[in-house]
Amino acid sequence: MNRISKMVVRMYVPAAAIAVGGFATAEAVTRTGRTLGEITPQRLASLAFLLAILLGTAWALHSTWRLYRWARGHELRCACGGMMSRVRYDRQRQKYRKCLACGGKSMEGAHCGG
């Protein structure tokens, strides 16, 4: 798997994990059989799964939007060509970004080694 493929997988795995987590939550709620006031376990499970699907879809759409912007040259790039993450802070409160393709760190304003 090349660097760009790894970057794409890293961007979409959280969306899939949210959907799978919603399914697991819905399954657990259905199996417990407890009611919360007027809400039946089946309805609560459906709502939990629907919420997870909506959140996962929103995450995937955001990732797609960032990849589109990266392909057009509107996102920060690493020296290897990968997309840079959001700004993060280390223990000394210095800003840095990580490359989503090679995993290299870049202090704010510098480029990672790739």
Side-chain angles (χ1 to χ4, degrees):
M1 185 180 292
N2 66 18
R3 288 183 181 171
I4 303 303
S5 298
K6 286 181 185 177
M7 179 180 73
V8 171
V9 168
R10 283 181 187 157
M11 292 186 74
Y12 285 105
V13 162
I18 290 170
V20 169
F23 178 74
T25 301
E27 207 40 52
V29 167
T30 302
R31 289 181 191 259
T32 59
R34 288 185 163 175
T35 60
L36 293 173
E38 300 287 323
I39 302 174
T40 64
Q42 291 78 16
R43 174 165 237 115
L44 189 60
S46 296
L47 291 173
F49 189 54
L50 177 64
L51 179 64
I53 292 295
L54 290 174
L55 287 174
T57 301
W59 191 292
L61 287 172
H62 180 259
S63 295
T64 302
W65 175 249
R66 287 200 63 205
L67 281 171
Y68 173 77
R69 288 180 45 82
W70 171 77
R72 297 282 186 176
H74 298 295
E75 288 280 335
L76 290 176
R77 290 178 181 247
C78 173
C80 73
M83 185 181 352
M84 301 301 284
S85 71
R86 62 179 171 74
V87 173
R88 300 175 184 194
Y89 294 93
D90 62 7
R91 291 182 182 176
Q92 290 79 29
R93 299 295 298 158
Q94 293 178 339
K95 293 180 181 180
Y96 73 96
R97 293 177 184 264
K98 281 188 78 172
C99 176
L100 296 174
C102 70
K105 270 188 180 180
S106 163
M107 298 315 267
E108 199 63 17
H111 292 290
C112 65

